[in-house]
């Protein structure tokens, strides 16, 4: 028995629930009298096991569950006298909630109306046109029993069949009439009386009477009552019910369903069943399923919700069958022994496997806990090992059955299957692994529509899906299994793709091959979305994207779209490693070529390409923007119906302009009265990156050339400052503390002090050298040792009294000098300046 999740609730939970509306619960008993069940509290909330919003009633103080009733879309709820809600359950009794106050009744009523899509101002949620139901709305709760009486069944005679059919059909309109009719039919044994009339009509060839009986039994099904189904589906009655349903007035010639069930179908016991009750239940379930699927009219005539109880009847029958077989421990052991026995012939093994598949299908009706126990029993009996053997056989029927069983196991418990695969991987070769056998079955599917391959692809995706690797060991399970899958299985999955893309176009381009490659690419797309590290390494190491993009030359549009979708997902991750790989391997080239081949056709491929580049534009992925514009813009420059490509061109031009402005900022900068000569920090960072990316090795022959460039550049860089300060040379010279400014000092390994260079440029007779920061082949200036006190005296600070308007920032300068010295000392020898004095 399932435990009430709130039975062990805390005092806080009890207190909160007791704040819900206070009610009295009433149930209509067999004598049509209302029984008081006591005082309780009610709420309308979602209940998992009922899968919907339900009325939950719990006893006051004791907090025990009194009622859980799902609010059905077509159940008629009535609101009476502002504090009373009454309704009828399809398979049980009538219920009533009498509220202590009007506000509580209104609260629950609004939720009921919300579920059924009704206006809360109505007093009954379903249309009722019978006068009796209208009177029930006005009657007092205590008088309900009296107002619901008065129905009686006419005598079961041939002359009254039309009257009986009209009465049954009219009673379907209200829940209360359905309840009363059901009780009268049960109490008077009316079904067996109608069966006697059926035999009489058949003997007399009374077609009109048979048509009336068909309408009567159709109404019996629409009453949707389990009690009536148990009567109609009894062994001694069910064939007569099938016979009545053969005489549908809308069908010119009746089908002989009874002959088919009696002569064409029989229970095939692959293993003898000694339980008579189990055999009877199997027969009954098959016949009722046949009635539902083959005999009853289509859902457009029979509304599906009106036959919900029939579906439930079949469901619970299947549950009983599985439970009875599972409880027979010897039955399953014998089944697996015969499956594994080499002496079992193929026909017998095929029947055993088909029975096991049906058994697994029935087991889906079990509750979660019971299903776990069922799967564990099958696993302990060696189910997965047995399926592995059968998948290697050439029998298509057994293969199909084995795949269905395996699919069921994976859907319910993929972790168990992953554990099995990892365990067998320790002692078996790649070719013998269960998961590789599944992949090979997918690849070798002979169905042109690839139906079996599609099912197997779903199985593989479930096994590699990190989302179902749950529990505390999720991270370990994901790492372990994916670490096993990529080196041991991925080459099997991608083998058809690699074999078909050896050249610059697909070697095979028939429909079936294209379908298979599309499924493989879909799996790869799933891996890109859900596996970060492993699939990235595999794609880059194997250059897999280049191979996949060859398929853009396929004549099948769906394969082109699948290929482009994989590239789009890769770009969508916004991973710079993927972006560099795309640029390095020129992976937009096949896309541009395919776009050109597509021409001016406005189709899905055209839209997909535009969306790819629209994403790059929206996310401003600079590396891909620059790569696209510089390499492939010409293929798209004539596109006028969207501005995507022209915008990308403008973005790249703006980006290039910004880079030029940064690198040329020193050449074009003119100091003003209130500004100081200062390098852009971003420009310095970019130059340092370029310096560190340069090759460390160069010969001495280049050294003199770089020194000359170095000196020349300094002259250009400091020319604006020399012009500005040219009129103050004498002042600068006189205020230099009586010291002669040294010429620009070149430190060892091409390091230059900016302060000393500035000092040299302001000294009379000194020739400025070129700035190292803008030299194309020399690193940014960094001293190898702390500069002397002379070097620290910048021209601005030295001429602080002689040059009006130049503002000094001593604290900030000192911090920058210290930072520069610290960063220089932290550099490795290979990255320090290389020139010597």
């Amino acid at each position: 028995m399932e435990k009430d999740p709130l039975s062990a609730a805390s005092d806080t939970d009890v207190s909160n629930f007791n704040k819900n509306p206070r009610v009295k619960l009433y149930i209509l008993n067999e004598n049509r009298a209302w029984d008081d069940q006591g005082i309780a509290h009610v709420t309308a909330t979602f209940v998992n096991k009922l899968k919907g919003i339900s009325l939950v009633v719990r006893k006051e103080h004791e907090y025990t569950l009194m009622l859980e009733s799902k609010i059905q879309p077509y159940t008629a709820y009535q609101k009476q006298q502002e504090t009373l809600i009454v309704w009828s359950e399809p398979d049980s009794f009538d219920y009533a909630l009498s509220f202590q106050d009007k506000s509580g009744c209104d609260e629950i009523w609004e939720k009921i109306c919300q579920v059924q899509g009704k206006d809360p101002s109505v007093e009954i949620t379903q249309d009722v046109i019978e006068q009796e139901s209208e009177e029930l709305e006005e009657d007092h709760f205590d008088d309900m029993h009296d107002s619901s009486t008065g129905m009686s069944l006419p005598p079961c005679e041939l002359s009254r069949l039309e009257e009986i059919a009209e009465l049954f059909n009219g009673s379907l309109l209200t829940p209360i009439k359905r309840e009363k009719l059901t009780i009268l039919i049960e109490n008077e044994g009316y079904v067996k009386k109608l069966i006697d009339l059926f035999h009489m009509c058949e003997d007399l060839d009374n077609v009109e009477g048979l048509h009336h009986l068909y309408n009567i039994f159709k109404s019996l099904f629409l009453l949707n009552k389990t009690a009536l189904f148990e009567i109609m589906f009894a062994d001694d009655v069910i064939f007569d019910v099938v016979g009545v349903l053969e005489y549908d007035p809308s069908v010119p010639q009746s089908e002989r369903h009874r002959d088919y069930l009696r002569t064409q179908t029989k229970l095939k016991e692959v293993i003898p069943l000694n339980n008579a009750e189990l055999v009877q239940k199997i027969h009954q379930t098959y016949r009722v399923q046949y009635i539902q699927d083959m005999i009853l009219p289509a859902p457009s005539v029979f509304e599906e919700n009106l036959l919900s109880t029939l579906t439930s009847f079949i469901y619970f029958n299947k549950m009983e069958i599985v439970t009875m077989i599972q409880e027979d421990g010897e039955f399953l052991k014998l089944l697996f022994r015969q499956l594994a026995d080499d002496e079992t012939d193929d026909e017998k093994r095929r029947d055993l496997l088909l029975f096991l598949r049906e058994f697994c299908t029935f087991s889906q009706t079990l509750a979660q806990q019971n299903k776990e126990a069922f799967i564990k029993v099958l696993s302990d009996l060696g189910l997965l090992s047995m399926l592995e053997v059968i998948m290697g056989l050439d029998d298509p029927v057994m293969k199909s059955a084995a795949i269905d069983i395996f699919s069921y196991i994976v859907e319910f418990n993929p972790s168990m299957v992953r554990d099995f695969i990892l365990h067998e991987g320790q002692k078996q070769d790649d070719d013998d692994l269960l998961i590789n056998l599944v992949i090979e079955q997918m690849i070798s599917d002979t169905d042109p529509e690839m139906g079996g391959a599609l099912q197997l692809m779903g199985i593989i995706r479930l096994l590699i899906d990190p989302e179902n690797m749950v529990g505390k060991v999720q991270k370990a399970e994901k790492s372990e299994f994916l670490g096993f899958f990529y080196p041991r299985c991925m080459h099997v999955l991608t083998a058809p793709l690699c074999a078909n893309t050896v050249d610059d176009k697909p070697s095979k381009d028939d429909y079936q091959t294209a379908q298979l490659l599309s499924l493989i690419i879909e799996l790869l797309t799933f891996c890109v979305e859900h596996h970060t590290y492993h699939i990235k390494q595999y794609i880059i190491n194997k250059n897999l994207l280049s191979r996949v993009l060859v398929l853009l030359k396929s004549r099948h549009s769906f394969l082109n779209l699948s290929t482009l979708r994989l590239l789009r997902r890769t770009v969508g991750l916004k991973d710079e490693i993927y972006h560099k790989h795309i640029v390095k391997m020129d992976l937009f080239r096949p896309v541009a070529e395919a776009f050109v081949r597509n021409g001016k056709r406005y189709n899905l491929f055209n839209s997909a390409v535009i969306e790819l580049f629209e994403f790059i534009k929206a996310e401003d992925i600079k590396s891909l923007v620059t790569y696209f514009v510089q390499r492939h813009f010409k293929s798209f420059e004539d596109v006028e119906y969207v501005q995507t490509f022209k915008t990308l061109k403008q973005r790249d031009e703006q980006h290039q302009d910004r880079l030029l402005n940064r690198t040329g900022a020193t050449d074009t900068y003119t100091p003003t009265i209130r500004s100081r000569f200062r390098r852009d920090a971003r420009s310095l960072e970019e130059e340092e990156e370029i310096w560190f990316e340069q090759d460390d090795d160069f010969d001495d022959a280049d050294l003199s050339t770089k020194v000359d460039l170095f000196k020349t550049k300094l002259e250009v860089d400091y020319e604006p400052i020399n012009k500005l300060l040219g009129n103050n040379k004498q002042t600068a010279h006189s205020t230099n503390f009586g010291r002669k400014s040294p010429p620009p000092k070149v430190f060892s390994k091409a390091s230059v002090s900016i302060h000393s260079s500035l000092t040299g440029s302001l000294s009379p007779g000194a020739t400025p050298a070129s700035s190292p920061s803008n030299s194309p082949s020399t690193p940014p200036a960094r001293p190898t040792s702390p500069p002397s006190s002379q070097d620290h005296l910048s021209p601005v600070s030295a001429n602080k009294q002689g040059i009006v308007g130049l503002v000094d920032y001593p604290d900030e300068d000192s911090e920058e000098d210290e930072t520069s010295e610290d960063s220089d000392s932290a550099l490795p020898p290979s990255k320090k300046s290389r020139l010597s004095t």
Side-chain angles (χ1 to χ4, degrees), residues 473-605:
V473 295
Q474 176 180 4
K475 186 174 182 181
E477 182 181 7
K478 175 182 176 181
S479 176
E480 184 179 9
F481 186 76
L482 295 183
F484 169 87
F485 177 79
Y486 276 87
R488 303 286 298 272
C489 310
M490 184 59 90
H491 66 282
V492 181
L493 178 64
T494 57
L497 191 151
C498 295
N500 206 43
T501 55
V502 175
D503 302 322
D504 60 349
K505 64 178 182 179
S507 56
K508 290 180 64 178
D509 201 22
D510 58 279
Y511 179 76
Q512 189 169 355
T513 302
Q515 284 275 42
L516 174 61
L517 294 178
S518 178
L519 293 179
I520 294 174
I521 293 174
E522 186 174 343
L523 273 176
L524 292 174
T525 305
F526 177 84
C527 292
V528 167
E529 291 176 338
H530 294 84
H531 307 159
T532 53
Y533 171 76
H534 293 88
I535 187 63
K536 184 192 305 181
Q537 296 299 316
Y538 192 86
I539 286 177
I540 293 175
N541 293 337
K542 302 293 184 181
N543 194 18
L544 193 62
L545 278 178
S546 297
R547 306 295 289 271
V548 171
L549 290 173
V550 171
L551 299 176
L552 287 175
K553 295 183 179 179
S554 170
R555 59 188 176 89
H556 300 283
S557 299
F558 65 88
L559 184 56
N560 300 153
L561 292 171
S562 297
T563 301
L564 197 59
R565 191 181 304 118
L566 175 60
L567 180 63
R568 171 64 177 82
R569 293 293 183 273
T570 305
V571 173
L573 293 176
K574 296 187 285 187
D575 188 328
E576 193 60 31
I577 296 178
Y578 276 129
H579 298 166
K580 289 180 179 179
H581 180 69
I582 290 172
V583 174
K584 179 180 178 182
M585 306 308 299
D586 194 15
L587 297 184
F588 283 174
R589 179 180 55 79
V591 177
E593 293 173 353
F595 187 84
V596 172
R597 286 196 302 271
N598 190 62
K600 296 183 179 180
R601 287 178 293 175
Y602 185 66
N603 49 23
L604 280 175
F605 183 80

Side-chain angles (χ1 to χ4, degrees), residues 305-355:
N305 62 295
L306 293 179
L307 291 173
S308 59
T309 305
L310 179 61
T311 303
S312 299
F313 185 91
I314 298 171
Y315 176 89
F316 288 113
N317 264 19
K318 291 180 178 180
M319 186 183 296
E320 289 183 42
I321 291 170
V322 173
T323 303
M324 283 189 281
I325 292 177
Q326 190 176 352
E327 289 174 351
D328 187 353
E330 293 301 320
F331 182 87
L332 288 177
K333 290 179 181 178
L334 181 59
L335 172 67
F336 277 87
R337 276 201 302 268
Q338 293 190 14
L339 277 171
D341 192 352
D342 293 337
E343 296 182 359
T344 303
D345 60 79
D346 290 344
E347 184 178 357
K348 176 73 171 178
R349 182 176 284 106
R350 189 182 301 115
D351 291 338
L352 290 168
L353 198 62
L354 293 175
F355 170 81

Side-chain angles (χ1 to χ4, degrees), residues 21 64 204 220 242 249 306 314 439 511 535 563 569 667 697 801:
T64 55
L204 298 174
L220 288 176
V242 172
L306 293 179
I314 298 171
I439 294 173
Y511 179 76
I535 187 63
T563 301
R569 293 293 183 273
D667 295 335
D697 300 326
Q801 298 176 354

Side-chain angles (χ1 to χ4, degrees), residues 119-260:
D119 187 348
S121 62
V122 302
E123 293 187 350
I124 185 168
T125 60
Q126 302 296 325
D127 295 331
V128 182
I129 59 176
E130 280 76 10
Q131 181 65 30
E132 181 183 38
S133 297
E134 294 174 359
E135 293 173 356
L136 282 173
E137 292 182 37
E138 302 172 358
D139 288 342
H140 189 271
F141 173 63
D142 295 332
D143 299 330
M144 284 181 62
H145 173 60
D146 296 334
S147 65
S148 63
T149 59
M151 177 183 286
S152 61
L153 293 175
C156 196
E157 300 172 357
L158 284 177
S159 58
R160 308 292 291 269
L161 283 176
E162 184 175 1
E163 180 184 351
I164 296 170
E166 291 178 356
L167 174 64
F168 279 27
N169 186 54
S171 299
L172 298 174
L173 298 175
T174 65
I176 295 176
K177 278 194 171 185
R178 288 202 300 266
E179 291 290 341
K180 289 189 293 182
L181 181 60
T182 301
I183 293 172
L184 290 173
I185 292 172
E186 283 186 81
N187 293 340
E188 297 185 18
Y190 213 72
V191 172
K192 291 194 175 181
K193 294 179 182 180
L194 291 171
I195 293 298
D196 292 339
L197 285 182
F198 166 69
H199 291 154
M200 192 180 301
C201 288
E202 270 204 321
D203 293 340
L204 298 174
D205 265 345
N206 186 345
V207 178
E208 183 180 359
L210 291 171
H211 288 170
H212 287 315
L213 282 168
Y214 173 87
N215 291 325
I216 290 170
F217 274 86
K218 184 177 76 172
S219 298
L220 288 176
F221 275 93
L222 289 175
L223 285 173
N224 207 27
K225 299 298 179 183
T226 303
L228 295 182
F229 287 148
E230 290 176 350
I231 295 172
M232 289 191 292
F233 299 151
D235 288 345
D236 58 338
V237 177
I238 189 169
F239 278 102
D240 294 323
V241 173
V242 172
V244 172
L245 295 176
E246 291 176 355
Y247 294 95
D248 184 354
S250 62
V251 179
Q253 186 173 1
S254 61
E255 297 285 345
R256 311 308 296 177
H257 296 296
R258 284 173 291 177
D259 292 343
Y260 176 80

